[in-house]
Amino acid sequence: MRTVLLQSLRRHLRRYVAAAVAVVVAVAFVVAVGVLTAGVQTGITAGAGAQFAGADHVVRDLGTQNAITYAAQHGDDVAVLGSATLPLRAGAEQAPGKFVANIAAAPRLRWQTLDSGRFPERTGEAVVDVWTAQDMEISVGDEITLGAGSTAADLKVVGIVAASANLGQAAVYVTFEQLLNWRDDETLLLDRAVVIGDTGPLPDGATAVTPEEHVAESMAQHTNNVNTLSLLLLVFAGIAILVSVLVITNTFSILFAQRVRDFALLRCVGATRRQVMGSVRREAAVVGVLASLVGVAAGAGLGYGLIALVDALTRQSPLTAPAQLPGWWLLGGFAVGLVVTAVASWLPTRRVVRISPLAALRPDGAVDVRSGAGRTRMALGAAFLAGGVALLAVAAVQDSTVSMVAGGGMLFAGVLLLGPLLVPRVVRVVGALLGPGGRLATENAVRNPRRTAATAASLLVGVTLTTAVLTGLATTRASVDANHGTAHPLDVALTSWTGPLDADVLDQVRATPGVGEAIAVDGVLVDLTGDDAAGGDTAGGEAAGGDTAGGDVTGADRPLLLLGAPDASAVARDGGAFARVEPGTVALDADVYGDDPAQRLGDGTAGTVTASTTGDGGHDVAASPVDLRVTTGSGWGGAGIVAPETLTSLGSPQTYAVWVRASADADPVALLADLDTLADAAGVDVDNGLRAEVADNQMLGTITAATLGLLGISVVIALIGIANTLGLSVLERVREHAMLRALGLTRRQLRRMLAAEAVLLSMTATLLGTVLGVGFAWVGYETFVQTALDAATWRVPWAELAAVVPVGALAGLLAAVLPARRASAVTPTTALTLD
């Protein structure tokens, strides 16, 4: 049998090359997904979790005193992640509460990126992030004051750090020794530390995890405890393994179906079942080992290449190449290639050796549902289909990601098992649309249902993934935008608290690069009266932890500005919903005034305040005070929002604000810098809503880039898969094509017939894949998106999905070029003599 093995490998070299290509592609897909996933983890750790990126461990649950002691014991190899919320004063600008953190002494643990200046090296020095520097007009060399009363500290700004979407981004950074100046402040938190190398003995109650684990858990807290990284890993791994099994199994099914007569002849000349099976296993082992090794190398190169491509095409790369190859993925890819190759080669051969040699020498019929094998296949397919639907329903109801992945795999496997029954029927329907010219291609396509289903399966995978990814990305983007729009409806608001704006301010704003749309907003200045406001505290004293750029917008020296914006939908991220309030109601930003502004601003009775126009700005004074019911929202700053009717009842409104929506390609930092300059000249305040959007977009960009990378790999696999199976199909049908040529079919007509057949199969796979992909995306929306995001929105990208159909047909046409040329190149007499 050793001679048989060597002769088989030599004689069927072309077919084994096709099988090896299938294994290489499948293994490369698994490994590339692993590299991409590692790139996602590294990218997110370097972005949203940048403060942990340089560490080997994160130590949690330390407590203040333990954190100080632990840091003192380990020196610069440990950096405690401390923070406090302290008042900040810079010149004439004041903020009642800014997030202050310490900066690590070890350069490896300093995750901040300098924009200008240097890092603090001693007490009395600080660096400020670029957003705060713009808001409060702080430059390198300026003096700032942190804290209040006896703990106030005057600091010199020695640097400005770049904006970041990091979960721990602060406004001001100081040395650890400086931060301990506020160790008695109730807002000081010293509970975590990042460690280089071994953690050493941990204090009682403290735990240590890897940076990746800590970032994943922190992200889950921001998405309603949905672990997006774990979900991404699970989905990517499931897809990679499913596609790998499918591609290899389909190729080997066709390959060994073509060798039924070879195996039967071996049995006729005396080979036993065990010898035939042993020979097949050895052939598969040779192909599996060699192809899997090549696939591992190709997958690693492909994964790193995709990350480099994303880095070259994007302004800020959301993916970061992992420093080390993901070892488990490499081993997993190699194991998948080897095991699936062995199983895929064993199953079809097992069917042959279990029947008599003479029966095996007869032509192989199509799958017949009335036969035992056909009934078994159909029953198994129906069971998988029903089980998959049930698991997907469970996933949607119970928000189970494991059920979602398992159910999707079972459902897809059921579709594949039912393929010989389902695909030919869809092919006939599609073929009827091609008219008489496609009749021969249709008949050829449906003659062997198993071969037809196997050929369509590769593209079916690609189209299903493409459709699911496009729909999932559209839905995720719409949902993230909806959530951001609810929390931060305005990108930027320029507001005057001293009088109406000059007429040219709106034109200047619209002319600023990066401004997509801007509107003027009318308003009036009012005084509030009530038991709590009687002492002249016109707007309730200090802001409730407000981090607004306008400074102390609610101080006793200022009235309250009420705005009415019936055309807010032109700029608002929530479609203007935040500005649509009932007459007799005022909406106040809870981020500025707290969750109970009525208690703070008015008499606290039935949630109302009483407003009377100040008369500032030259407008008429209302005849009598107006009682307003208070509601809350977020994302527009210190001004109150009222209905236009309410605004008119208080006086004659004039333009007090300009609301801005940034363009899609705007640089947020540059836009805010330009608007700050304009605002200074106009004497108005700026409220910044773009900072939160930057964080949202960075996280979404990471997931989008990884998903598009997966999509690109899957499309390549689909093209290779369908070309591979079409090529094997042509080899299987050499005598059939020769007979058609002998009956008068020209080479051009044969090529056209095969091209039409490929288009038929492609369109069938595209239609089925589109339905499956949209269905899978909807289950993902119900299972994951609605759980992770409060304002989830279902979105189907109809234009993109419509483009998938012609692209799928073109893919099939291109995949058929080489097989069709090969088929037409063989002369009828030569082909008819082939064994």
Side-chain angles (χ1 to χ4, degrees):
M1 294 303 294
R2 181 181 303 174
T3 303
V4 173
L5 169 64
L6 296 176
Q7 290 297 325
S8 294
L9 290 174
R10 185 180 300 112
R11 182 183 181 193
H12 302 296
L13 180 61
R14 183 183 295 178
R15 295 177 180 180
Y16 274 114
V17 166
V21 168
V23 177
V24 168
V25 168
V27 173
F29 185 43
V30 174
V31 174
V33 167
V35 175
L36 275 177
T37 303
V40 171
Q41 289 183 307
T42 308
I44 289 178
T45 302
Q51 57 186 330
F52 315 107
D56 296 313
H57 296 91
V58 178
V59 179
R60 305 183 295 193
D61 304 319
L62 282 168
T64 300
Q65 190 55 51
N66 283 340
I68 296 173
T69 304
Y70 187 71
Q73 292 173 344
H74 292 78
D76 290 350
D77 287 342
V78 169
V80 174
L81 301 177
S83 64
T85 301
L86 303 170
L88 171 64
R89 184 171 70 251
E93 297 289 340
Q94 298 184 45
K98 285 289 187 180
F99 190 56
V100 181
N102 62 294
I103 201 160
R108 173 178 166 181
L109 296 176
R110 288 178 182 170
W111 55 268
Q112 301 88 346
T113 303
L114 277 174
D115 190 67
S116 60
R118 62 176 175 83
F119 287 115
E121 299 172 351
R122 58 187 66 88
T123 57
E125 296 181 342
V127 293
V128 180
D129 91 299
V130 67
W131 295 110
T132 304
Q134 288 182 358
D135 291 343
M136 303 187 70
E137 301 179 358
I138 299 173
S139 301
V140 174
D142 289 351
E143 297 286 337
I144 61 174
T145 300
L146 270 180
S150 60
T151 61
D154 294 327
L155 306 173
K156 181 180 181 180
V157 177
V158 296
I160 305 294
V161 293
S164 171
N166 181 342
L167 297 173
Q169 177 76 1
V172 181
Y173 298 95
V174 296
T175 63
F176 183 60
E177 292 75 15
Q178 182 74 64
L179 187 65
L180 293 181
N181 181 62
W182 296 283
R183 71 170 65 198
D184 295 327
D185 191 287
E186 63 180 10
T187 65
L188 181 67
L189 180 64
L190 299 175
D191 198 42
R192 297 174 302 175
V194 288
V195 182
I196 297 175
D198 186 53
T199 61
L202 297 177
D204 292 341
T207 58
V209 295
T210 65
E212 292 78 11
E213 290 172 340
H214 184 74
V215 171
E217 293 176 15
S218 299
M219 286 177 55
Q221 295 175 2
H222 291 268
T223 53
N224 295 333
N225 291 320
V226 176
N227 194 326
T228 53
L229 275 181
S230 295
L231 176 68
L232 203 63
L233 275 168
L234 188 61
V235 172
F236 278 19
I239 291 174
I241 293 173
L242 177 64
V243 172
S244 302
V245 171
L246 180 65
V247 170
I248 296 174
T249 303
N250 280 346
T251 302
F252 272 87
S253 295
I254 295 176
L255 177 64
F256 284 101
Q258 297 168 359
R259 297 182 58 193
V260 169
R261 293 173 60 85
D262 292 348
F263 297 143
L265 287 172
L266 287 174
R267 294 286 311 286
C268 287
V269 297
T272 65
R273 294 181 181 180
R274 178 176 296 181
Q275 287 175 322
V276 172
M277 293 295 295
S279 175
V280 169
R281 290 194 187 102
R282 286 189 289 273
E283 290 177 26
V286 172
V287 174
V289 170
L290 295 178
S292 294
L293 289 174
V294 175
V296 167
L302 180 61
Y304 279 95
L306 283 171
I307 292 176
L309 179 63
V310 171
D311 183 50
L313 295 179
T314 56
R315 185 169 53 192
Q316 293 181 337
S317 176
L319 299 179
T320 302
Q324 296 180 343
L325 284 169
W328 285 109
W329 281 92
L330 301 184
L331 293 175
F334 181 83
V336 166
L338 198 58
V339 172
V340 176
T341 299
V343 174
S345 63
W346 175 71
L347 287 176
T349 313
R350 182 170 177 268
R351 178 176 62 86
V352 174
V353 298
R354 293 179 66 178
I355 61 176
S356 68
L358 292 178
L361 286 171
R362 300 192 192 104
D364 188 20
V367 173
D368 187 353
V369 296
R370 294 168 296 181
S371 68
R375 284 193 296 269
T376 301
R377 184 187 183 101
M378 296 304 109
L380 190 59
F384 272 40
L385 204 63
V389 171
L391 283 174
L392 292 177
V394 170
V397 172
Q398 298 184 355
D399 302 327
S400 170
T401 54
V402 175
S403 297
M404 181 184 70
V405 174
M410 284 190 67
L411 178 62
F412 201 81
V415 172
L416 294 178
L417 286 171
L418 294 174
L421 185 67
L422 179 63
V423 172
R425 284 164 172 75
V426 180
V427 167
R428 287 193 181 278
V429 173
V430 176
L433 302 177
L434 300 181
R439 185 179 303 167
L440 182 58
T442 302
E443 293 301 324
N444 282 332
V446 302
R447 181 176 296 114
N448 190 320
R450 181 177 295 174
R451 183 181 62 204
T452 299
T455 305
S458 298
L459 189 59
L460 178 62
V461 173
V463 174
T464 301
L465 282 177
T466 301
T467 305
V469 165
L470 291 177
T471 307
L473 288 179
T475 297
T476 303
R477 167 59 69 183
S479 299
V480 169
D481 288 346
N483 274 265
H484 176 77
T486 300
H488 305 280
L490 294 179
D491 288 346
V492 185
L494 284 73
T495 309
S496 171
W497 292 86
T498 57
L501 291 173
D502 294 337
D504 62 342
V505 171
L506 179 62
D507 292 334
Q508 294 178 40
V509 171
R510 287 176 172 170
T512 302
V515 172
E517 185 58 72
I519 62 170
V521 185
D522 290 342
V524 296
L525 291 169
V526 299
D527 288 323
L528 301 181
T529 58
D531 292 342
D532 290 346
D537 188 5
T538 59
E542 287 186 352
D547 189 14
T548 55
D552 187 12
V553 299
T554 57
D557 60 335
R558 285 186 177 182
L560 177 66
L561 175 63
L562 299 183
L563 300 173
D567 55 347
S569 59
V571 294
R573 296 283 179 179
D574 67 346
F578 83 97
R580 292 192 285 270
V581 297
E582 296 292 330
T585 300
V586 57
L588 295 172
D589 194 331
D591 293 337
V592 178
Y593 295 95
D595 294 328
D596 191 4
Q599 181 67 34
R600 293 172 57 83
L601 303 181
D603 59 13
T605 303
T608 62
V609 294
T610 302
S612 57
T613 313
T614 64
D616 292 345
H619 51 65
D620 297 333
V621 179
S624 59
V626 177
D627 291 333
L628 300 175
R629 184 171 59 87
V630 178
T631 62
T632 59
S634 66
W636 63 83
I641 308 297
V642 296
E645 306 93 299
T646 304
L647 200 65
T648 304
S649 70
L650 287 165
S652 300
Q654 299 185 56
T655 300
Y656 275 82
V658 173
W659 289 349
V660 178
R661 180 162 182 159
S663 60
D665 58 347
D667 181 341
V669 176
L671 175 59
L672 261 296
D674 292 341
L675 291 179
D676 270 332
T677 302
L678 190 156
D680 290 341
V684 299
D685 294 333
V686 178
D687 289 297
N688 175 10
L690 282 174
R691 182 172 182 171
E693 186 178 9
V694 170
D696 288 343
N697 286 341
Q698 179 169 332
M699 188 64 62
L700 185 61
T702 301
I703 296 174
T704 299
T707 308
L708 290 178
L710 170 66
L711 177 60
I713 299 173
S714 69
V715 169
V716 172
I717 286 180
L719 291 175
I720 294 176
I722 194 170
N724 214 20
T725 49
L726 278 174
L728 289 171
S729 175
V730 167
L731 285 175
E732 182 183 10
R733 297 157 60 189
V734 169
R735 294 174 63 85
E736 175 186 328
H737 295 155
M739 184 64 69
L740 291 173
R741 291 287 312 282
L743 293 174
L745 202 67
T746 65
R747 291 184 176 181
R748 176 177 294 183
Q749 288 173 327
L750 178 60
R751 288 196 297 267
R752 287 180 177 177
M753 183 196 74
L754 292 174
E757 187 177 333
V759 170
L760 274 174
L761 296 177
S762 301
M763 293 181 66
T764 299
T766 300
L767 293 175
L768 291 175
T770 300
V771 174
L772 287 173
V774 172
F776 288 153
W778 180 82
V779 174
Y781 165 75
E782 291 288 335
T783 304
F784 169 61
V785 179
Q786 282 196 326
T787 304
L789 302 174
D790 294 328
T793 303
W794 171 246
R795 182 71 54 82
V796 179
W798 296 110
E800 288 88 344
L801 296 187
V804 171
V805 177
V807 170
L810 180 61
L813 190 60
L814 292 175
V817 171
L818 289 179
R821 288 177 62 88
R822 185 183 301 123
S824 62
V826 179
T827 61
T829 54
T830 302
L832 287 172
T833 61
L834 291 177
D835 188 13

